[in-house]
Amino acid sequence: MAGLFTFNKRKPKKIGLALGSGSVRGWAHIGVIHALNNAGIKIDYIAGTSIGSIVGSVFAANNLEALEDVAVRLDWKQIALLLDVVLPKSGIIDGNKVGEFVRKYLKEMNIEDLPIPFCAVSTDLSTGDEVVISEGDIIEAVRASISIPGIFTPVRNNGRILVDGGLVNPVPVSVAREMGADFVIAVDLSHGLVNEEASPQPELRAPHSEKDDQQHTEKKNSMLEAINSKLTAIDLSALSWMKHSPEEEPLPSIFDVITSSINIMETQITATRLKANPPDILIQPNLSHIKFLEFNRASEAIAEGYAETERQLDTLLKKVR
């Protein structure tokens, strides 16, 4: 009689995690991963763009707690040491020190040796093509994926010049699916960055005093002054026509111009890509109050990533099981 009956045992879904770009806001990925782990959700594939490639690769190497421990203790002095200014070149910051920082948590490993399958997304500067790196040295792949144009110098890889993957695929849902995932959880860090006034979001900041604000500003200014002192050593007399008169409102800094431009571009590209390749669950932490250089605000970003994931857990668990 037993042979007359067949039982349909549902095959467990292969879950992919698409970690998006977003500079220091990417520390929120750590909170997202913790919330998923605590809910018992096993990740089978990881695709990361830019900061998502840093967190994703370290998570794939089972060393996320060590990275988090350092991230929450970063101060302005330590951040300044990572910014190896190299002008005049093809970027303000070389990025080798950032690569060395990441290597502490990945050691000498190739991507194909990671316990969890991982891909880093970058962009071919010559052709504009999306380049998905799934093998070879992890640090080289991460360095290419985080190379924000104008900020970090590009990376040479197999005859190509590679820059930040956020130019073509800020939230790599499509890559996670190509890896084999049939259920994709995506993390978008660009939510609320553009047109904030039209849709205001509450700021999730830790309580602080006016004195804390002043000390924070002083530390940030001292770091920027250190960078500026290196930049001003370069002869920029040919650009003297760009100087404004004392009566004029000063123009934004080069960091503000580049990062604001990238925020606008990535927000638009993200909306288009997510419409074309929608994930099964989209997590969008509110991180618009965290700026480009504020690496020292990791605790806030991690907490918001965790909280936003928790808010969607009921829906996620129903869909994934």
Side-chain angles (χ1 to χ4, degrees):
M1 291 291 290
L4 297 177
F5 297 94
T6 58
F7 297 92
N8 291 324
K9 189 175 181 181
R10 188 184 302 180
K11 189 177 179 181
K13 292 179 179 178
K14 292 290 185 180
I15 300 176
L17 185 60
L19 301 178
S21 58
S23 184
V24 301
R25 296 182 297 276
W27 294 137
H29 290 319
I30 297 175
V32 171
I33 292 168
H34 281 326
L36 295 175
N37 282 340
N38 291 344
I41 297 171
K42 178 181 175 291
I43 302 300
D44 299 290
Y45 304 99
I46 305 166
T49 296
S50 199
I51 185 71
S53 73
I54 293 179
V55 177
S57 60
V58 175
F59 173 46
N62 291 325
N63 207 16
L64 192 63
E65 289 186 4
L67 177 63
E68 179 182 6
D69 184 57
V70 171
V72 298
R73 292 187 288 108
L74 277 176
D75 58 28
W76 286 111
K77 185 176 181 181
Q78 291 169 312
I79 296 165
L81 292 174
L82 294 175
L83 305 181
D84 39 354
V85 177
V86 292
L87 270 177
K89 259 192 166 183
S90 51
I92 297 172
I93 298 167
D94 189 62
N96 285 331
K97 289 185 178 179
V98 174
E100 292 168 9
F101 171 79
V102 178
R103 192 176 290 281
K104 294 177 184 177
Y105 309 99
L106 296 173
K107 308 303 179 185
E108 298 293 334
M109 293 181 70
N110 283 338
I111 295 176
E112 55 267 35
D113 299 326
L114 291 168
I116 304 175
F118 166 79
C119 285
V121 179
S122 58
T123 303
D124 187 321
L125 189 61
S126 300
T127 65
D129 292 338
E130 177 180 325
V131 177
V132 178
I133 306 176
S134 58
E135 59 183 17
D137 183 67
I138 301 175
I139 302 304
E140 185 174 315
V142 169
R143 269 280 291 111
S145 187
I146 68 170
S147 293
I148 302 170
I151 300 289
F152 289 102
T153 54
V155 171
R156 293 185 183 275
N157 175 279
N158 294 327
R160 300 169 300 197
I161 299 176
L162 303 181
V163 293
D164 196 308
L167 295 181
V168 290
N169 201 350
V171 186
V173 175
S174 57
V175 177
R177 292 207 191 280
E178 288 165 9
M179 293 175 74
D182 46 35
F183 188 96
V184 176
I185 302 167
V187 186
D188 169 25
L189 305 176
S190 65
H191 183 62
L193 289 182
V194 179
N195 198 21
E196 270 186 83
E197 292 181 5
S199 53
Q201 298 285 343
E203 291 193 358
L204 302 177
R205 300 184 185 222
H208 56 275
S209 65
E210 189 174 325
K211 182 179 179 182
D212 291 333
D213 281 340
Q214 183 178 356
Q215 290 176 342
H216 173 85
T217 301
E218 288 175 355
K219 288 177 181 178
K220 181 178 178 180
N221 287 343
S222 65
M223 185 181 71
L224 291 174
E225 285 172 10
I227 296 174
N228 286 336
S229 67
K230 295 183 180 181
L231 297 180
T232 52
I234 302 165
D235 183 10
L236 297 178
S237 57
L239 303 180
S240 59
W241 60 273
M242 294 179 64
K243 294 180 180 178
H244 55 78
S245 67
E247 294 80 20
E248 292 177 334
E249 186 72 22
L251 291 171
S253 71
I254 186 170
F255 283 105
D256 290 333
V257 171
I258 294 174
T259 57
S260 293
S261 300
I262 289 173
N263 285 342
I264 294 168
M265 176 192 68
E266 287 196 354
T267 298
Q268 298 296 326
I269 295 172
T270 297
T272 301
R273 292 298 300 248
L274 290 178
K275 187 174 181 179
N277 297 286
D280 298 279
I281 289 289
L282 178 62
I283 299 171
Q284 295 179 305
N286 174 31
L287 303 163
S288 58
H289 59 286
I290 298 180
K291 307 304 179 187
F292 176 76
L293 289 174
E294 295 181 319
F295 279 93
N296 60 313
R297 299 180 71 174
S299 295
E300 294 174 58
I302 292 169
E304 173 57 18
Y306 190 95
E308 183 57 32
T309 306
E310 271 204 323
R311 282 191 279 271
Q312 298 202 48
L313 272 182
D314 286 344
T315 302
L316 173 55
L317 291 171
K318 286 176 184 176
K319 285 187 173 185
V320 81
R321 289 175 180 170

